[in-house]
Amino acid sequence: MTDRPAVLVTRKLPRAVEERLARDYEAHFNRDDRVYPADELVELAAGAFAIMPCHTEKLDAGVIARLPDTVRAICSYSVGYDHIDLAAAKARGIIVTNTPEVLSDATAEVAMLLLLGAARRAFEGERQIRTDTWAEWSAVHQLGVQVTGKRLGILGMGRVGRIMARRARGFDMEIHYYNRHRLAPELEAGATYHESVEALLPHCDFLSIHCPATPETHHLLDEARIALLPDSAVVINTARGAVVDDDALIAALRSGRLFAAGLDVFNNEPNIDPRYRALDNTFLLPHIGSATRETRDAMGFRALDNLDAIVAGREPRDRLA
Ligand code: DGY
């Protein structure tokens, strides 16, 4: 027994993060890295001062109500917090934190990878090489859409959206955006603001989604809004699958109304809608936006900084509830 606070770490984390956890806390590690069912998570939380979950653990009102009274903090190893019912945590006096900023660059890198990969049909080309089905160079083989100079619409101009805009300017893209609040001119950096999602969409040769999943953004990109995009637009999503209505997006990709989609996030991960796999005009990644060594360490250290502050009775930097 030690008098160090106990922490339930729900998933395997990078070595440096687990080392710091082991040094400073009585940490319960998840050696198999499997996702705990809710009942097991509640059981494992017995005696814990804090839980360090990932976005894979659904801490809804029912789970939070069943957590032992010892749990005083949920320090999520994620920037997104749609997996945690903040109101329920607040009602129980449980402090909740996330890890903003540290994963913005990595996520924007993947958004740009998806944008380029979807536009230039990278999946089809890769498959031809791997399956040895590349017949011969041809002037009309595998024509994509050019990225340079096109209009990029950014839905949600927060940290990731703004970095994506900067990267896209390197391709001479013209930036348009919708955000709940218009940004100050120095943050807008010449981007054109649109007062509604509907006003933004007709200006998007490419649409990149960077808004959080909330009840307001649930299935925001639905059939009616997809109809507002220009013909042959490309949709990129590195935010959350819940922002997209899969039926509508798949129909638009199948019919060719949209040229392609690049998706790193999905509804019901990892059991995604199988129809995406059957489409050649999708470029799909398994939720790896923040998956660089540097970023995954930084997320852990940020979550731990928050936990350290709470244990010391200080206000954590990234308090959500
Ligand atoms: C986040 O931090 O929200 C990423 O989606 C990974 O969990």
Side-chain angles (χ1 to χ4, degrees):
M1 286 294 282
T2 75
D3 54 5
R4 296 179 306 169
V7 182
L8 170 61
V9 186
T10 64
R11 300 295 306 277
K12 188 167 173 53
L13 298 182
R15 184 192 293 185
V17 178
E18 290 198 347
E19 279 172 2
R20 186 169 144 187
L21 269 157
R23 187 193 68 193
D24 298 341
Y25 294 95
E26 195 60 38
H28 168 98
F29 293 115
N30 181 344
R31 295 295 173 213
D32 308 335
D33 200 21
R34 74 191 159 82
V35 178
Y36 296 133
D39 287 348
E40 191 176 349
L41 187 143
V42 169
E43 242 171 65
L44 288 169
F49 172 81
I51 302 176
M52 190 169 289
C54 294
H55 75 273
T56 46
E57 282 69 58
K58 306 287 169 240
L59 298 173
D60 58 20
V63 173
I64 288 179
R66 291 161 56 210
L67 290 176
D69 289 339
T70 53
V71 175
R72 305 318 308 144
I74 298 172
C75 297
S76 192
Y77 181 88
S78 66
V79 64
Y81 49 89
D82 46 303
H83 55 299
I84 305 172
D85 189 318
L86 296 184
K90 198 169 177 188
R92 289 205 59 190
I94 298 174
I95 298 174
V96 181
T97 61
N98 67 340
T99 61
E101 294 161 11
V102 291
L103 39 63
S104 307
D105 283 311
T107 306
E109 283 178 8
V110 164
M112 189 47 82
L113 170 67
L114 290 172
L115 187 152
L116 293 168
R120 302 302 298 274
R121 301 172 56 182
F123 158 67
E124 290 169 85
E126 239 265 335
R127 183 176 56 188
Q128 286 159 36
I129 299 291
R130 288 187 189 279
T131 56
D132 198 9
T133 50
W134 178 29
E136 180 55 277
W137 186 91
S138 157
V140 291
H141 174 59
Q142 194 166 318
L143 304 184
V145 292
Q146 191 139 323
V147 169
T148 303
K150 295 282 171 59
R151 297 168 300 175
L152 170 64
I154 296 188
L155 187 49
M157 197 67 144
R159 298 177 190 92
V160 183
R162 294 201 298 275
I163 295 173
M164 179 63 174
R166 285 216 299 274
R167 304 292 176 256
R169 284 188 192 100
F171 284 84
D172 296 332
M173 296 188 90
E174 184 183 300
I175 312 299
H176 295 253
Y177 77 100
Y178 168 74
N179 198 51
R180 271 174 311 161
H181 309 290
R182 184 170 182 166
L183 302 183
E186 64 274 17
L187 294 180
E188 228 173 38
T192 303
Y193 175 66
H194 298 269
E195 287 191 344
S196 65
V197 179
E198 288 74 14
L200 167 72
L201 294 174
H203 301 275
C204 302
D205 301 315
F206 292 82
L207 173 70
S208 193
I209 300 173
H210 296 286
C211 59
T214 64
E216 294 72 41
T217 63
H218 185 75
H219 287 191
L220 184 74
L221 194 67
D222 58 8
E223 189 183 345
R225 294 201 178 91
I226 287 174
L228 296 174
L229 286 165
D231 279 338
S232 296
V234 174
V235 170
I236 308 303
N237 191 5
T238 51
R240 283 291 186 264
V243 181
V244 170
D245 174 347
D246 288 334
D247 284 341
L249 181 59
I250 288 165
L253 289 166
R254 272 184 175 164
S255 70
R257 245 290 284 154
L258 294 180
F259 183 77
L263 308 173
D264 182 48
V265 289
F266 301 85
N267 287 294
N268 198 31
E269 295 174 6
N271 303 311
I272 71 166
D273 191 317
R275 293 175 296 173
Y276 281 121
R277 293 191 197 107
L279 288 166
D280 279 347
N281 55 351
T282 53
F283 187 53
L284 310 173
L285 295 174
H287 201 144
I288 56 163
S290 61
T292 66
R293 293 173 182 184
E294 298 87 338
T295 292
R296 289 286 164 85
D297 279 354
M299 289 167 69
F301 298 147
R302 185 81 172 228
L304 275 167
D305 290 347
N306 285 317
L307 178 55
D308 292 350
I310 297 165
V311 168
R314 287 183 276 112
E315 184 64 14
R317 181 170 175 190
D318 307 308
R319 185 173 184 152
L320 298 166

